[in-house]
Amino acid sequence: MQQAVVTGTVWSTKRIDGIPPGALLTVRTAGGEELVAFDVLGSGVGEEVLISLGSVAAAWFTGTPPPIDALIIGSVDPR
Amino acid sequence: MQQAVVTGTVWSTKRIDGIPPGALLTVRTAGGEELVAFDVLGSGVGEEVLISLGSVAAAWFTGTPPPIDALIIGSVDPR
Amino acid sequence: MQQAVVTGTVWSTKRIDGIPPGALLTVRTAGGEELVAFDVLGSGVGEEVLISLGSVAAAWFTGTPPPIDALIIGSVDPR
Amino acid sequence: MQQAVVTGTVWSTKRIDGIPPGALLTVRTAGGEELVAFDVLGSGVGEEVLISLGSVAAAWFTGTPPPIDALIIGSVDPR
Amino acid sequence: MQQAVVTGTVWSTKRIDGIPPGALLTVRTAGGEELVAFDVLGSGVGEEVLISLGSVAAAWFTGTPPPIDALIIGSVDPR
């Protein structure tokens, strides 16, 4: 996993089938990479999160795996 | 996922079996990487898109998964 | 696999379903990348470990594969 | 996918079981990375090709997927 | 695949279940990355090898795929 900070939301009206309901959030990883991760936790801008990448992100969903390769799996507790 | 901008089209007449109908578009990711992504949305040059990478791209297709490791899953709404 | 050094622990109370019991450890890879890896070995800060990435990490678990893309598979013996 | 140029051939007599007949070609990606890709198209040195990476490369083969993580899926048409 | 040179051996006595018999070798890829790859070919230090990464490495093994994400698939013939 990677630690990342939520930086915003992406809206995509024109999209392929099979993307489940949820938010597409822009995140910046600890390594400085800008990614878009799927979120089901209601994460907000500035929140520190953990993301999983690749097929394990898609496999988390029930039913046919969606074409999602980045998933927010948790929020990092404030220290 | 990664945000990317469509920069052109690649034509490949000599190809292996199993590549489905659709466009092969060159894209530049937000991180500056040059990739070729499969497109079924009719995306155009200059359009900002979201791409998924790896086996989740292939798994989106019905039937036998094609040897496709990058898929445009949506167009980013203009802000 | 990659060699990495354990640098700390991440706590995540708000998380998605399906993450198994175990520790989420921050590690720094030999290449200098900061990752979060799942640990079932009781690894401690400063310990040198081996991590596997991607779907093979999730596939190690029994039952439904969890959304885990980084797993500590062993501790490197001191030389 | 990534665009790449074929730069040579690799010969490997001592190898594990399960690698199918075909050529192992060295390629340089558009991003400057040196990889070895499996080729079934008879691609030649200097030819511009498209490569797919990861498990989708292995899944293209019939029967048991071979331990191949890079496949030339097409030749880029000259412009 | 990537070309790499074997640079040493890693010993890991404390490890999770499911890692098959074989050597864990440190390798340096052509791109300068330091990885640990599983070896069943008896590769030695200084030997030039080909490695496959990701789930295709695990899928090569018979039975339950082990948590191995890097496999030496062949030795590069001397030129």
Side-chain angles (χ1 to χ4, degrees):
Chain A
M1 285 70 69
Q2 292 185 59
Q3 292 196 60
V5 174
V6 177
T7 55
T9 305
V10 171
W11 301 99
S12 172
T13 306
K14 174 181 157 191
R15 52 164 78 180
I16 62 174
D17 291 334
I19 302 176
L24 294 166
L25 301 185
T26 53
V27 300
R28 184 181 302 117
T29 70
E33 204 178 359
E34 307 280 346
L35 298 176
V36 175
F38 197 85
D39 182 52
V40 296
L41 290 171
S43 306
V45 171
E47 193 167 340
E48 201 173 355
V49 295
L50 292 174
I51 55 170
S52 277
L53 300 181
S55 63
V56 306
W60 178 77
F61 294 87
T62 51
T64 305
I68 295 296
D69 67 0
L71 177 68
I72 294 175
I73 66 161
S75 180
V76 177
D77 293 356
R79 273 151 294 190
Chain B
M1 285 72 67
Q2 292 184 61
Q3 292 196 62
V5 174
V6 177
T7 56
T9 305
V10 171
W11 301 99
S12 172
T13 306
K14 173 180 156 193
R15 52 164 79 180
I16 63 174
D17 292 334
I19 301 177
L24 292 166
L25 302 185
T26 53
V27 301
R28 184 180 302 116
T29 70
E33 204 178 359
E34 307 280 347
L35 299 176
V36 175
F38 197 85
D39 182 52
V40 295
L41 291 171
S43 305
V45 171
E47 192 166 342
E48 201 173 356
V49 294
L50 292 174
I51 56 170
S52 277
L53 300 181
S55 63
V56 307
W60 179 78
F61 294 87
T62 51
T64 305
I68 295 296
D69 67 0
L71 177 69
I72 294 176
I73 66 162
S75 180
V76 177
D77 293 356
R79 274 149 296 191
Chain C
M1 285 71 69
Q2 292 184 60
Q3 292 196 61
V5 174
V6 177
T7 56
T9 304
V10 171
W11 301 100
S12 172
T13 306
K14 174 183 157 190
R15 52 164 78 181
I16 62 175
D17 291 334
I19 302 177
L24 294 166
L25 302 184
T26 53
V27 301
R28 184 180 303 115
T29 71
E33 204 178 0
E34 307 280 347
L35 298 176
V36 176
F38 197 86
D39 182 52
V40 295
L41 291 170
S43 306
V45 171
E47 193 166 342
E48 200 173 355
V49 294
L50 292 174
I51 55 170
S52 277
L53 300 181
S55 62
V56 308
W60 179 78
F61 294 86
T62 50
T64 305
I68 295 296
D69 67 0
L71 177 69
I72 294 176
I73 66 162
S75 179
V76 177
D77 292 356
R79 274 152 292 193
Chain D
M1 284 71 68
Q2 292 185 60
Q3 293 196 61
V5 174
V6 177
T7 56
T9 305
V10 171
W11 302 99
S12 171
T13 306
K14 174 181 156 192
R15 52 165 77 182
I16 62 174
D17 291 333
I19 301 177
L24 293 167
L25 302 184
T26 53
V27 301
R28 185 180 302 115
T29 70
E33 204 178 359
E34 308 280 347
L35 298 176
V36 175
F38 197 86
D39 182 52
V40 295
L41 291 171
S43 306
V45 171
E47 192 166 342
E48 201 173 355
V49 295
L50 291 174
I51 55 170
S52 276
L53 300 180
S55 63
V56 307
W60 178 78
F61 294 88
T62 50
T64 304
I68 295 296
D69 68 359
L71 177 69
I72 294 176
I73 66 162
S75 180
V76 176
D77 293 355
R79 273 150 297 192
Chain E
M1 284 71 69
Q2 292 185 60
Q3 292 195 61
V5 174
V6 176
T7 56
T9 305
V10 171
W11 302 99
S12 171
T13 306
K14 175 181 156 192
R15 51 164 76 181
I16 62 175
D17 291 333
I19 301 177
L24 293 167
L25 301 184
T26 53
V27 301
R28 184 180 302 115
T29 70
E33 204 177 359
E34 307 280 347
L35 298 176
V36 175
F38 197 86
D39 182 53
V40 295
L41 291 171
S43 306
V45 171
E47 193 167 340
E48 201 173 355
V49 295
L50 292 174
I51 56 170
S52 276
L53 300 180
S55 63
V56 307
W60 178 78
F61 294 87
T62 50
T64 305
I68 295 296
D69 68 359
L71 178 68
I72 294 177
I73 66 162
S75 180
V76 177
D77 293 356
R79 275 150 293 193

